[in-house]
Amino acid sequence: RRKPKKPKSWWRRCAVALAPAANVNQLAAVMGIVVGLTAPLQRALFDEDGALFILGDCAQLIGAAAIPQVIIVLGASLAKGPDHSLCDRRTAISLGFGRLGVLALLNV
């Protein structure tokens, strides 16, 4: 039997360990955190004369619709009326409050 080769460097071992969990969404989130924490990079990309000003402005407009979108999804899910076989009234009310109240506080 041949033993599998171990990666040589620490970075290579980390990359091999994280490869199954890595995807484009996580990479974008990490890059966003790096840009947000680096003021010169943030200014270079998102100031009015920055390279990505238009994309940042569009993202702000889309982000402003997050709360109304949650309300529309909640209304659509409740449009047929409550299905009491899934949960009781108290649970449904607390879930609705959680969606409307807590999510609104977290997104602001």
Side-chain angles (χ1 to χ4, degrees), residues 46 52-63:
F46 295 110
L52 299 177
F53 175 72
I54 298 295
L55 291 177
D57 198 31
C58 292
Q60 283 182 341
L61 288 174
I62 292 171

Side-chain angles (χ1 to χ4, degrees), residues 35 38-57 60:
V35 170
T38 310
L41 187 57
Q42 187 177 7
R43 283 192 301 270
L45 293 175
F46 295 110
D47 272 355
E48 289 196 22
D49 58 345
L52 299 177
F53 175 72
I54 298 295
L55 291 177
D57 198 31
Q60 283 182 341

Side-chain angles (χ1 to χ4, degrees), residues 5-93:
K5 289 185 177 181
K6 288 186 179 180
K8 296 178 182 175
S9 70
W10 182 81
W11 290 105
R12 180 74 67 177
R13 286 193 308 257
C14 288
V16 168
L18 294 175
N23 61 31
V24 176
N25 297 331
Q26 291 174 343
L27 179 64
V30 169
M31 289 174 60
I33 290 170
V34 169
V35 170
L37 291 175
T38 310
L41 187 57
Q42 187 177 7
R43 283 192 301 270
L45 293 175
F46 295 110
D47 272 355
E48 289 196 22
D49 58 345
L52 299 177
F53 175 72
I54 298 295
L55 291 177
D57 198 31
C58 292
Q60 283 182 341
L61 288 174
I62 292 171
I67 298 299
Q69 182 182 16
V70 169
I71 293 172
I72 290 171
V73 169
L74 178 63
S77 65
L78 295 175
K80 294 180 183 177
D83 185 8
H84 294 293
S85 65
L86 297 175
C87 64
D88 60 350
R89 172 178 250 156
R90 185 173 163 188
T91 305
I93 290 172

